[in-house]
């Protein structure tokens, strides 16, 4: 069955430090992969997506993610975190053979220390 | 461009009562999704519409949940009767393209439901 795992429920980083959020997926075909961010009381905002081609994907707000097929991973990175990045981050896989349905991970909550 | 609109933003009801949520997708978006997000979990798809037809409702608890998409635009999700475990945020999303794995979904702010 398709699934997405985000191993870290909560991460705390200092402002200005680098960030990596982990995401592993299970899907029997080439995946479409997404990272969304959710601030308190808000809906989900798309950070970036991978469909095909270059495995290093650039997104908004200085985020990037790298697709590694051999590791079934799609980790999110940012070189220097800002206090405004504190939020919940969700990785998702899009199922092209099931009408574009998104399967989400359980999320990683990011806290930023001043 | 206006985003996905949802109302109400918050709702508190007693168990066994009924409740309805409304969603207005981005203009021109053919595909509409309803997700349930329980606290501490990622969103889970409840139902997906392509225009006014249902594409996927396999995760919808049909004994108590119902949804419709009037004229292929607005959509309403109803719960009757509500249970304590229905407490969650209900998210609506829309997509401009036919339902494939690669379409980008745009999310509304959600409705937070509390069932007492």
């Amino acid at each position: 069955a398709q699934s997405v795992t985000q191993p870290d429920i909560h991460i705390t980083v200092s402002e200005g430090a680098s960030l990596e959020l982990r995401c592993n997926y299970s899907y029997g075909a080439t995946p479409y992969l997404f990272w969304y961010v959710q601030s308190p009381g808000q809906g989900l905002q798309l950070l970036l997506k991978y469909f095909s081609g270059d495995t290093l994907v650039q997104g908004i707000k200085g985020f990037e993610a790298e697709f590694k097929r051999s590791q079934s991973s799609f980790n999110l990175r940012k070189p220097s975190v800002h206090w405004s990045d504190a939020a919940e981050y969700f990785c998702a896989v899009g199922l092209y053979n099931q009408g574009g349905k998104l399967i989400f991970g359980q999320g990683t909550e990011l806290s930023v220390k001043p | 461009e206006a985003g996905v609109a949802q109302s109400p933003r918050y709702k508190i009801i007693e168990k066994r009562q009924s409740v309805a949520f409304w969603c207005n997708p981005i203009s021109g978006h053919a595909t509409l999704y309803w997700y349930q997000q329980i606290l501490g979990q990622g969103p889970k798809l409840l139902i997906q519409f392509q225009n006014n037809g249902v594409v996927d409702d396999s995760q919808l608890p049909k004994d108590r949940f119902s949804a419709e998409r009037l004229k292929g635009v607005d959509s309403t999700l109803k719960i009757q009767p509500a249970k304590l475990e229905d407490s969650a945020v209900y998210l609506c999303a829309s997509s401009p393209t036919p339902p494939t794995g690669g379409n980008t979904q745009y999310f509304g702010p959600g409705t937070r439901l509390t069932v007492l």
Side-chain angles (χ1 to χ4, degrees):
Chain A
Q2 306 91 352
S3 65
V4 176
T5 301
Q6 294 179 245
D8 304 304
I9 295 174
H10 189 203
I11 283 182
T12 299
V13 299
S14 298
E15 190 167 17
S18 63
L19 171 71
E20 182 169 29
L21 302 182
R22 296 183 290 163
C23 172
N24 293 96
Y25 67 89
S26 173
Y27 185 45
T30 300
Y32 297 114
L33 295 162
F34 304 81
W35 274 99
Y36 282 88
V37 61
Q38 185 177 37
S39 297
Q42 304 296 314
L44 280 75
Q45 181 184 21
L46 180 68
L47 285 175
L48 48 77
K49 58 188 178 185
Y50 170 80
F51 292 169
S52 64
D54 192 347
T55 57
L56 186 61
V57 180
Q58 301 297 320
I60 63 171
K61 304 185 179 185
F63 285 93
E64 66 177 26
E66 186 172 13
F67 170 57
K68 293 185 177 180
R69 184 187 302 276
S70 61
Q71 298 178 20
S72 298
S73 70
F74 188 56
N75 294 348
L76 181 71
R77 300 193 294 249
K78 186 169 184 178
S80 178
V81 169
H82 187 262
W83 63 267
S84 60
D85 293 324
E88 186 105 28
Y89 291 80
F90 291 95
C91 180
V93 61
L95 309 182
Y96 69 83
N97 61 347
Q98 292 189 38
K101 175 178 178 177
L102 288 180
I103 303 294
F104 285 88
Q106 70 177 55
T108 297
E109 183 180 358
L110 173 66
S111 297
V112 180
K113 292 190 300 185
Chain B
E1 177 181 77
V4 176
Q6 291 188 246
S7 68
R9 291 295 310 277
Y10 305 91
K11 190 74 177 178
I12 300 174
I13 62 173
E14 302 275 336
K15 60 182 179 182
R16 291 189 288 273
Q17 285 186 322
S18 63
V19 64
F21 312 128
W22 175 82
C23 172
N24 182 242
I26 293 172
S27 178
H29 281 197
T31 310
L32 185 146
Y33 310 79
W34 282 103
Y35 288 85
Q36 180 191 58
Q37 185 179 17
I38 293 173
L39 186 65
Q41 299 181 18
K44 182 186 77 172
L45 181 70
L46 290 176
I47 189 167
Q48 175 183 339
F49 293 93
Q50 172 74 5
N51 296 311
N52 60 353
V54 175
V55 174
D56 183 348
D57 64 357
S58 58
Q59 299 293 303
L60 188 73
K62 298 180 186 63
D63 57 334
R64 299 183 300 105
F65 285 64
S66 64
E68 60 181 2
R69 190 178 184 194
L70 305 173
K71 300 180 182 178
V73 182
D74 293 7
S75 178
T76 302
L77 176 70
K78 296 179 181 178
I79 307 175
Q80 182 179 14
K83 293 184 175 181
L84 296 177
E85 58 261 37
D86 298 332
S87 294
V89 175
Y90 291 85
L91 294 164
C92 179
S94 69
S95 171
T97 55
T100 66
N103 55 327
T104 297
Q105 298 181 25
Y106 298 87
F107 284 81
T111 296
R112 181 176 297 277
L113 173 67
T114 301
V115 182
L116 303 176

